[in-house]
Amino acid sequence: MAALPSLRQLSYLVTLSETLHFTEAARRSFVTQSTLSGGIMELERLLGGVLVERDRQNVRLTPLGEQVVARARVLLADAQDLMRLSREMSEPLTGDLHLGIIPTIAPFILSQLLNEVHKQLPKIQLHLHEAQSEKIVEKLEHGNLDMVMLALPFDTRGLKVAEIAKENLFLVCNKADQNTANARTLDDLDLSHLMLLEEGHCLRDHTLSACPIGERKNDHRLKASSLPTLVEMVNSNLGFTLLPEIAVHTHMLKSNQQLIVKSIENAPSRTLALVTRKSTPLQSEFDVLVQILQKIIAVELH
């Protein structure tokens, strides 16, 4: 039987693909540069093709190298799940759990989530990672996160998905903006005054799915990096926005006397969901977290 690539060799290649620098990849892999280079050369020999192109200035993956890296990420994530499965069988509901959450959900549930996990999963050490959907889903696929909480619709790429709750987006405008304040449907709004989050936030995409604004690459409107900044922009009467229901019940909006918050006909919606890999060994933790999140969101939305 022909020799097979080792997980260590695949790990070297994946790390190199992330750094495109042999010295840095070796440092991250806790080996010498010669050991990492030798491992990748042996991997190339076993696979019968060049995976990495090297010269004095640049390191780049070949097309074959890119395909091998994509498959290697899956294999390495599955291997991590296999190791975790052994511990789960002997010591269930214990150890570290890395949870990714998008910025348009995280601020509104974190304290309740930490409290509930401490009560219901006392032997679990929860590590929270806040980032945009694409980044946390990528980290989940690579095995760097155990689960992620995000908003659908979003391409979950065949991952395991449990829906938590559905919420509508609400119109938020300044009291001085009477035309917007009197709007009853999306069709009544002047979308040239619509303010959005920056590229990469799924809330931006959910809003644009219902509010076409023409050629987006020529869109020069002000953009916010966070929901609080977006609210401040509305407070300054720079325009209006659409915010998720989970945000409109918070002190951030309720205490602001300059703002009007209202539901509007044919407004877009989003579905909050918890996502994990299908190979996850943390099914029990996943099920408990789904119940915890459903309880928290139900309170927040009513």
Side-chain angles (χ1 to χ4, degrees), residues 69-275:
V69 165
R71 293 178 180 240
R73 291 189 192 280
V74 175
L75 289 171
L76 291 169
D78 286 347
Q80 288 181 16
D81 287 344
L82 183 62
M83 295 295 292
R84 187 71 179 269
L85 178 62
S86 176
R87 196 185 75 191
E88 282 295 304
M89 295 293 289
S90 59
E91 298 180 85
L93 304 178
T94 63
D96 295 331
L97 193 158
H98 292 266
L99 174 67
I101 311 182
I102 60 174
T104 57
I105 298 176
F108 312 114
I109 68 167
L110 285 187
S111 61
Q112 305 97 307
L113 177 60
L114 290 171
N115 288 336
E116 287 297 321
V117 169
H118 181 69
K119 291 177 185 176
Q120 299 190 39
L121 297 168
K123 295 183 179 180
I124 287 289
Q125 182 64 44
L126 184 63
H127 302 270
L128 298 171
H129 307 260
E130 183 179 326
Q132 295 174 1
S133 300
E134 190 67 40
K135 292 180 180 178
I136 58 174
V137 167
E138 184 178 277
K139 287 185 176 182
L140 175 66
E141 291 177 321
H142 296 173
N144 302 122
L145 294 175
D146 297 308
M147 305 170 196
V148 300
M149 186 178 184
L150 46 69
L152 307 174
F154 185 81
D155 182 11
T156 52
R157 305 193 270 263
L159 296 165
K160 180 181 179 67
V161 178
E163 295 186 359
I164 304 298
K166 184 176 180 179
E167 61 174 351
N168 292 321
L169 304 190
F170 280 62
L171 175 66
V172 181
C173 67
N174 194 289
K175 286 184 176 180
D177 184 2
Q178 284 300 304
N179 289 335
T180 303
N182 293 330
R184 297 177 58 189
T185 73
L186 287 181
D187 296 333
D188 298 331
L189 297 173
D190 181 355
L191 296 183
S192 66
H193 296 154
L194 172 64
M195 295 189 300
L196 302 163
L197 290 173
E198 294 174 339
E199 294 280 355
H201 289 277
C202 58
L203 179 61
R204 173 187 175 89
D205 297 328
H206 298 157
T207 300
L208 290 175
S209 67
C211 302
I213 57 173
E215 187 60 46
R216 296 182 193 177
K217 68 180 179 181
N218 296 323
D219 178 28
H220 301 299
R221 74 189 67 218
L222 289 171
K223 302 175 185 67
S225 59
S226 67
L227 290 184
T229 302
L230 198 57
V231 170
E232 282 303 310
M233 290 163 63
V234 176
N235 188 57
S236 299
N237 200 22
L238 299 176
F240 66 88
T241 194
L242 296 174
L243 293 184
E245 189 175 355
I246 195 173
V248 304
H249 296 301
T250 64
H251 183 73
M252 176 176 68
L253 292 181
K254 287 186 175 180
S255 62
N256 195 319
Q257 301 300 313
Q258 287 297 114
L259 301 180
I260 292 176
V261 180
K262 58 183 287 187
S263 61
I264 190 166
E265 293 180 26
N266 64 336
S269 63
R270 67 178 191 171
T271 300
L272 308 185
L274 189 66
V275 181

